[in-house]
Amino acid sequence: MAESAAVEFRIDRRSGVATYLQIVQQTKQALRLGLLEPGDRLPTAREVVEATAINPNTVLKAYRELEREGLVEARRGLGTFVTRSLGGAVAADDSPLRAELTAWAGRARAAGLERDDVSALFTAVLDSTFEGDQDR
């Protein structure tokens, strides 16, 4: 049986994004980056509550959404398990694109940009690059 995956949810109460959606988004990001793989067990609702001090129903809502999207499966008495991955090898730690992006982020930081500045710039570039795409 798979061990609990090493994913830690970070909740930003000031983001304006619903807490359950933050869990969904962070899970999808972990799937895209290969941090979660099919067979991995997500942290239990109790583990997430202990780490983040959020309502257990919020965690369960997020897990139900992930299940509805076909990404995880709840197994009664065992936990919630990843059923499929997202993305591909492009996001892996050793991919050339990741190395280029890491170098770019380092240059942006050295130029004095704050994390939020970099995020805004990157999001603007993504939006203009993928304009018209249905699945961003």
Side-chain angles (χ1 to χ4, degrees):
M1 186 180 308
E3 293 182 21
S4 184
V7 62
E8 294 179 22
F9 298 113
R10 289 177 175 78
I11 304 304
D12 181 357
R13 288 165 171 76
R14 296 170 293 155
S15 73
V17 176
T19 304
Y20 89 95
L21 282 177
Q22 290 183 50
I23 293 172
V24 169
Q25 291 168 350
Q26 290 174 36
T27 302
K28 288 179 177 180
Q29 182 177 11
L31 289 167
R32 283 187 182 93
L33 295 175
L35 301 174
L36 285 175
E37 297 179 345
D40 286 344
R41 183 175 67 81
L42 294 181
T44 65
R46 176 177 289 173
E47 291 167 342
V48 176
V49 167
E50 288 173 0
T52 61
I54 61 173
N55 187 303
N57 290 327
T58 301
V59 181
L60 296 174
K61 182 177 182 178
Y63 284 11
R64 280 192 304 271
E65 176 64 20
L66 291 164
E67 190 169 19
R68 189 189 65 73
E69 293 184 28
L71 299 173
V72 302
E73 170 186 68
R75 298 181 193 156
R76 190 167 187 85
L78 298 175
T80 303
F81 294 84
V82 174
T83 55
R84 69 180 179 94
S85 61
L86 291 174
V90 169
D93 282 342
D94 60 349
S95 81
L97 286 175
R98 184 181 179 115
E100 289 176 37
L101 186 55
T102 299
W104 177 84
R107 289 192 306 274
R109 186 175 192 183
L113 292 175
E114 298 290 327
R115 181 186 187 100
D116 288 344
D117 300 330
V118 171
S119 179
L121 178 59
F122 189 73
T123 299
V125 170
L126 278 178
D127 289 349
S128 66
T129 302
F130 291 94
E131 189 174 346
D133 286 2
Q134 293 298 319
D135 184 27
R136 288 190 192 186

